Amino acid sequence: MRSNEDAAGFSALSRFTIANGMQREVKEAFRQRPHLVDGAPGFVRMEVLSPLEQPEEIWLLTFWTDRASFENWHHSHLYRDSHRGIPRGLKLVPGRTELLRFEHVCS
């Protein structure tokens, strides 16, 4: 029997760099996030990471059963709604925001 994590066949990494020192506020916003993605079809789990050597970077790693589920969510109103908790005044480093898509091989 496969665990829920084993069901992930696709992962997406969204990475951005905070330009104006609001790391604490952004990290707290993620801790208090409304979990809108949690009920999306095909969603498995999400990890929010920040490299110790570059605390101004935030990495969002999401796991999905398949790419289509991610793409459907990424273009949905729930995706846009999930960004309402972004702290006011947040500025990102231009050119340091990216979205990478992965085949999830195993955990």
Side-chain angles (χ1 to χ4, degrees), residues 27-94:
K27 292 173 185 177
E28 186 58 26
F30 277 112
R31 288 184 190 103
Q32 301 299 323
R33 67 183 181 90
H35 294 264
L36 295 177
V37 68
D38 295 13
F43 176 78
V44 176
R45 68 184 173 98
M46 180 171 89
E47 302 290 338
V48 181
L49 306 168
S50 180
L52 293 176
E53 295 79 12
Q54 296 172 312
E56 68 280 5
E57 282 192 20
I58 302 292
W59 299 9
L60 296 164
L61 182 59
T62 55
F63 296 84
W64 299 82
T65 56
D66 57 273
R67 183 176 180 165
S69 294
F70 168 76
E71 299 295 346
N72 287 337
W73 177 79
H74 194 249
H75 295 98
S76 73
H77 70 87
L78 286 177
Y79 174 80
R80 290 183 294 280
D81 291 350
S82 70
H83 289 76
R84 287 187 187 156
I86 293 173
R88 290 179 186 232
L90 173 65
K91 297 194 182 318
L92 302 181
V93 175

